[in-house]
Amino acid sequence: MKIKLIYSLLCFLFLGNIIAQQTPAPKQTEAYSIEGATAHLGNGEVIENSLIMFSNGKIAHVGNANSRIARMGTVINAKGKHVYPGFIAANTSLGLAEIDAVRATRDFDEVGSMLPHIRSIIAYNAESKVVETMRPNGVLMAQIAPRGGVISGTSSVVQLDAWNWEDATIKTDDGVHMNWPQVFSRGRWWMGEDPGLKPNKNYQKSIDKLTKFFANAKSYLAGNKTPKNLPYEALQGVLNGTQRMFVHVSGEKGITDAVTICKELGVKNIVIVRGQEAEKVADLLKANNIPVILERAHRLPNGEDADYDRPFRAAKILTDAGILVGLGMEGDMERMSTRNLPFYAGTYAAYGLGKEKALQLITQNNAKILGVDNNVGTIEVGKDATLFISEGDALDMRTNILTTAFIQGRKISLESHQTKLWKRYANKYKNQ
């Protein structure tokens, strides 16, 4: 019996080593100088022949390689390559589920409808096999957001090379996520109803319920707070402006109602998420200084008579209107597809936005919207040395081949289960 138990433990340890993510990189101890690369700073600026130096996890110098300045530490010759700030994926449930078909691995929502006190960060799995597939494409940070209900809970911003959620956290509980009621609903075909879209007869009732919840929360917060009510207390940040309210909503009427009613409820910092048809209410968003986290452009337009390429041009239209635009990942296969974040930004670049402005969607803009732009999002002196070197254009899947990446100055592994399989089978066919 003892021998069987020992063999079983050894088997589990062996399987654990196979399945577990690679060990996170240690804290930076030596300085680095990246010389000769084309540096895309993430704020629209480009330095053709750049010199970037960093130590102790922070960027110490950004300039031209022709400058007569002493190089720090290990010098990386990146001539002919490109340097980018680490990409930031907004609005993703990355690390909250591993296998969609296995219920036990899904932890992105909770039972109930009004759950502002639910914290997604404590469910974040830093050892997710999905998380490690982000890094080879330059996605080094993400906003981990909950799903489900009317008010889903709070999100947090993490870096993607960590032992656990405490190590991963860049900003804890950056905002509360709300799913705005649907203006239109589809008929239940299984009950003989017309499956087409029609006005949601419960729309106003849902808004009234939401309004009442906020009214009760404000009364509670203004009183003696007894008995203790965690959902009401969790709204204090969005009511006093210290937290953002991420409102997941699409459609002209839905966005208009969401902005108007949230302001009436006393919500200070509103962010529109998904934002289909946001360009139709650009003036309203601009007047209220409300940013938009767009979803992926690879979808059909909402309206039957809309231009086929309207979703692809949305970022350009909103940016030209003076609205701060970021890029999120909510939708089908969102966790696995998050690795393609730079290529979705590349699609917006191809439809009028241009490469450097498209790059800003997933660097500076996302950092500003998530409230982490003091430390990440651009390559600037004093900010975290979270950046990577690519052989070519990072927004093009044909040329975004990373050679080196750093998170807070730590040189991280770019290996994943997928890269190992790629190398394995590349060698197989090379030898035939």
Side-chain angles (χ1 to χ4, degrees), residues 292-331:
V292 176
I293 296 177
L294 288 175
E295 59 184 350
R296 293 166 272 178
H298 296 191
R299 57 180 173 80
L300 294 172
N302 271 17
E304 292 182 356
D305 58 347
D307 295 341
Y308 75 93
D309 61 351
R310 189 62 175 254
F312 297 85
R313 294 187 290 112
K316 164 72 171 171
I317 296 169
L318 290 170
T319 300
D320 287 350
I323 295 167
L324 183 62
V325 181
L327 180 54
M329 288 303 305
E330 185 174 358

Side-chain angles (χ1 to χ4, degrees), residues 63-291:
N64 194 284
N66 293 327
S67 60
R68 301 173 66 88
I69 184 173
R71 277 43 174 171
M72 298 170 60
T74 300
V75 177
I76 300 174
N77 183 359
K79 190 172 180 61
K81 297 178 181 179
H82 298 256
V83 176
Y84 293 88
F87 297 151
I88 307 168
N91 184 35
T92 174
S93 55
L94 190 65
L96 300 182
E98 194 70 6
I99 305 170
D100 287 349
V102 180
R103 185 183 180 89
T105 72
R106 304 197 305 262
D107 197 11
F108 48 75
D109 64 356
E110 295 289 341
V111 176
S113 60
M114 301 296 186
L115 305 169
H117 58 300
I118 296 298
R119 304 177 67 225
S120 63
I121 187 62
I122 61 173
Y124 174 69
N125 177 18
E127 292 194 350
S128 165
K129 296 290 283 185
V130 181
V131 166
E132 74 176 19
T133 67
M134 304 298 116
R135 301 193 297 260
N137 280 353
V139 182
L140 306 183
M141 294 164 284
Q143 180 196 38
I144 310 305
R147 301 285 183 250
V150 177
I151 301 179
S152 308
T154 65
S155 58
S156 292
V157 184
V158 300
Q159 52 86 4
L160 303 182
D161 183 65
W163 289 98
N164 49 47
W165 68 262
E166 291 98 333
D167 291 340
T169 302
I170 294 175
K171 185 172 184 178
T172 305
D173 301 327
D174 66 298
V176 176
H177 290 251
M178 175 198 295
N179 295 301
W180 193 254
Q182 295 288 334
V183 178
F184 296 95
S185 61
R186 293 190 180 277
R188 297 167 293 181
W189 58 267
W190 60 91
M191 296 186 67
E193 298 175 356
D194 178 8
L197 281 174
K198 55 182 68 64
N200 179 7
K201 60 183 179 182
N202 294 319
Y203 180 65
Q204 188 57 51
K205 187 185 297 184
S206 299
I207 290 177
D208 292 342
K209 182 180 178 181
L210 191 61
T211 302
K212 183 178 180 181
F213 183 78
F214 268 84
N216 290 341
K218 285 194 278 189
S219 296
Y220 169 85
L221 293 170
N224 58 14
K225 300 182 182 180
T226 54
K228 193 176 184 66
N229 188 300
L230 292 178
Y232 291 163
E233 289 195 4
L235 287 179
Q236 185 162 2
V238 297
L239 292 172
N240 65 22
T242 58
Q243 281 182 311
R244 291 160 175 77
M245 174 63 86
F246 294 91
V247 185
H248 298 236
V249 59
S250 286
E252 184 177 1
K253 177 174 171 52
I255 295 172
T256 302
D257 288 350
V259 171
T260 303
I261 293 172
C262 281
K263 289 185 71 65
E264 291 174 356
L265 294 175
V267 177
K268 306 294 184 185
N269 296 321
I270 304 168
V271 178
I272 297 298
V273 182
R274 291 204 307 266
Q276 294 179 23
E277 296 189 353
E279 62 272 18
K280 292 184 177 180
V281 291
D283 291 342
L284 174 68
L285 299 174
K286 174 66 175 174
N288 289 282
N289 196 29
I290 296 174

